[in-house]
């Protein structure tokens, strides 16, 4: 199915190569299959590519590229699997300033959208009331512009 273009099968084949489920890990093959699936809009594959770039698995570590892939995954609605993980991972990049400017408002917004309470609390502890207000507003605006089907 993966060779026939099925994006879900391509994503899982990429995961099998990355995790070594069919032998030792093969990051080159994992990247190949994740890219094919991600190009078809699979949020799990987009998130997986972000993780590979963030961790430097099979590619040079590049948090800017990781942020791009996480953002693509994060834009999917509903937030099952890769979309929710992409939101959380993008929030972590903003929280730490990895590949994107450190931005607590953006971090909070993505954590809120991902429903990851420990990370949301960690961001909130570092924020002013005004920043929290701005982040809540951004999260509400994002939800309005990305309605759940």
């Amino acid at each position: 199915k993966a060779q026939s273009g099925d994006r879900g099968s391509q994503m899982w084949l990429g995961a099998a190569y990355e995790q070594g489920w069919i032998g030792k890990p093969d990051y080159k093959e994992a990247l190949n299959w994740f890219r094919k699936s991600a190009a078809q809009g699979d949020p799990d594959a987009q998130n997986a590519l972000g993780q590979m770039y963030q961790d430097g698995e099979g590619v040079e570590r590049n948090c800017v590229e990781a942020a791009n892939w996480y953002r693509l995954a994060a834009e999917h609605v509903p937030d099952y699997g890769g979309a929710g993980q992409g939101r959380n991972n993008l929030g972590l990049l903003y929280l730490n300033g990895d590949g994107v400017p450190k931005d607590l408002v953006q971090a909070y917004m993505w954590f809120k959208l991902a429903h990851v309470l420990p990370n949301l609390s960690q961001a909130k502890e570092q924020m002013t009331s005004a920043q929290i207000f701005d982040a809540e507003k951004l999260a509400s605006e994002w939800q309005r512009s990305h309605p759940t089907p």
Side-chain angles (χ1 to χ4, degrees), residues 58-139:
V59 293
E60 187 173 323
R61 187 174 190 271
N62 184 335
C63 287
V64 172
E65 190 67 20
N68 291 335
W69 285 111
Y70 289 150
R71 187 174 306 280
L72 284 173
E75 290 293 326
H76 289 269
V77 177
D79 65 353
Y80 304 132
Q85 292 169 356
R87 292 174 193 171
N88 183 61
N89 290 335
L90 187 56
L92 288 168
L93 292 182
Y94 277 112
L95 184 67
N96 298 312
D98 291 331
V100 293
K102 183 171 181 164
D103 187 330
L104 296 174
V105 172
Q106 283 291 313
Y108 182 104
M109 179 194 83
W110 288 113
F111 294 147
K112 178 148 181 106
L113 293 170
H115 312 288
V116 179
L117 298 181
N119 291 346
L120 182 67
S121 295
Q122 184 181 0
K124 190 174 184 177
E125 290 171 359
Q126 303 174 52
M127 298 171 70
T128 66
S129 297
Q131 288 174 312
I132 294 167
F133 178 83
D134 290 345
E136 290 281 347
K137 183 178 174 188
L138 284 175

Side-chain angles (χ1 to χ4, degrees), residues 41-54:
D42 186 283
D44 293 307
Q46 292 166 340
N47 183 67
L49 280 171
Q51 289 176 326
M52 291 187 81
Y53 276 100
Q54 186 176 2

Side-chain angles (χ1 to χ4, degrees), residues 12 14 17-18 32-33 45 47 58 65 97 101 104:
W12 283 109
Y17 277 113
E18 181 198 17
N32 175 50
W33 290 106
N47 183 67
E65 190 67 20
L104 296 174

